[in-house]
Amino acid sequence: MRRRTFLAAGTGLALAAAAPAHAGTRRVLHVHPGDSVQAAVDAVTGPGWTIVVHPGTYREVVNVPAGTAELTLRGAVRDPRAAVIVYDNANGTKKPDGTTYGTAGSATFTSAAPGLTVRDLTLANDWLRADHPDITGTQAVAACTYGDRTHFDNVRLLAHQDTLFVETTALASFDRQYFRRCHIEGDVDFVFGRATAVFEECHFHTLQRDVTFTPKGMVFAPSTARANPYGILAVRSRITSGAEGGAYKLARPWVPSYETTAWPSLVVRDSWIGPGIDPVAPYTDMREQYPWQTMRFREYGNSGPGAAITVPENRPQLTPEEAESHTRRAYLGDWHP
């Protein structure tokens, strides 16, 4: 497997002026190549700051703490390929003390901050299985987001296994996250977690894998709390693949060992599903004791070869009346990003 080319071709990118986060004040920090994004995060002294990341590659881990509320982290230009934050930890990567990072700890970008906005950036984890055959914990997260009112717009999220972890601050929290016009790619469970997460006009892309078995992976692996009426919603999006036809599943349910009462929820609606998704059996189990048929998996109004309903019992559909309850407005409630 080859590492991705992250940056846009060419160097003639014009910088946009950074606008203050609040009228009449200057709460803007600029990060240039050679600077540290994390250092800018650490310099924030209160809510409502903006960090502008200028074109370049920033090889570092970035952690936004819960106290850094209402932060905006954005690229200096609209092209999300121009500014890249990337690192290469995996679940099984050893820390200096000999322990491993774990799945969440492998993330290149982590945020617990409420009201976070990220736009016009690439967040990536370029760890590759082929480079580390001795490591069995191959989850390598690009972004782990938990905190209510998290908003990503025009962001590229790149990794292989477990690219985007949409998590919550606590088991009893139903934190809301909204992704618009984002590109998310990976292979195994690469959008997963327990948040109330809406993906609108997003592009999900499955990668080719050098393996002989199928399925080669799954796009979604929700772990929604049983008490939460809303899990992951993908609307007006598209799913493409770099692999052969039918090599991927749309989803499988994740019931974590630390929350065995989870009742995963996923709705994919009004979206185009390409031939990379198995149309006959688009769902599969993660564990036998939690069959996907008992989960809240539904579709509505989808098109494309991967959305063909050939075996109806394998593709549960919302009724028009039920579809009215599975919208961005219903999922996000009083938050209007």
Side-chain angles (χ1 to χ4, degrees), residues 84-104:
V84 178
I85 302 171
V86 57
Y87 209 72
D88 61 349
N89 284 329
N91 179 335
T93 302
K94 286 191 177 180
K95 300 178 184 179
D97 64 4
T99 63
T100 56
Y101 283 96
T103 297

Side-chain angles (χ1 to χ4, degrees), residues 105-163:
S106 73
T108 297
F109 178 85
T110 302
S111 174
L116 172 75
T117 297
V118 180
R119 66 174 72 248
D120 306 332
L121 289 172
T122 292
L123 304 176
N125 189 321
D126 62 356
W127 187 91
L128 294 177
R129 301 179 185 95
D131 294 344
H132 305 277
D134 55 315
I135 293 180
T136 56
T138 58
Q139 298 89 346
V141 178
C144 177
T145 55
Y146 53 104
D148 194 34
R149 295 177 293 106
T150 295
H151 178 197
F152 279 45
D153 194 333
N154 194 33
V155 176
R156 292 197 311 158
L157 296 142
L158 312 178
H160 283 263
Q161 184 171 354
D162 290 12
T163 302

